[in-house]
Amino acid sequence: MAMDSTQFTSDEIDIEAFRDRLRKLTDEELIREGKTGRYLCSPMANFGKPPRRVFVIQLEEVMAEWRRRHPK
């Protein structure tokens, strides 16, 4: 899948489209997406600054999808 060049330059996110994409992922792909999101929200990836809101939202959505699939 080719990455959209606006994916990292915009703070806007289409939540419904992102949720739809997450629903189509396998558990393994969802885990990989979560690890990527966790890194993008880390101080190391942001030079000690707070993470961009779009990355935080994406990580929250990945975690919500995981909880939906694997309730306690």
Side-chain angles (χ1 to χ4, degrees):
M1 172 190 270
M3 189 171 293
D4 183 2
S5 64
T6 61
Q7 189 169 358
F8 292 110
T9 59
S10 174
D11 282 336
E12 298 296 318
I13 181 173
D14 181 350
I15 295 286
E16 290 307 315
F18 188 69
R19 287 176 182 160
D20 285 341
R21 188 173 75 78
L22 292 177
R23 283 186 206 107
K24 295 174 186 174
L25 298 178
T26 65
D27 280 356
E28 184 177 292
E29 291 168 330
L30 191 62
I31 290 169
R32 188 169 37 241
E33 188 78 19
K35 287 180 180 181
T36 301
R38 191 171 58 210
Y39 173 75
L40 290 173
C41 291
S42 73
M44 188 170 60
N46 293 289
F47 303 104
K49 296 181 181 178
R52 290 178 43 199
R53 184 72 187 137
V54 68
F55 297 144
V56 174
I57 291 169
Q58 287 176 344
L59 180 56
E60 289 169 351
E61 290 300 323
V62 168
M63 293 186 320
E65 176 63 19
W66 182 264
R67 286 190 301 268
R68 185 188 67 74
R69 292 182 191 188
H70 304 280
K72 289 184 178 181

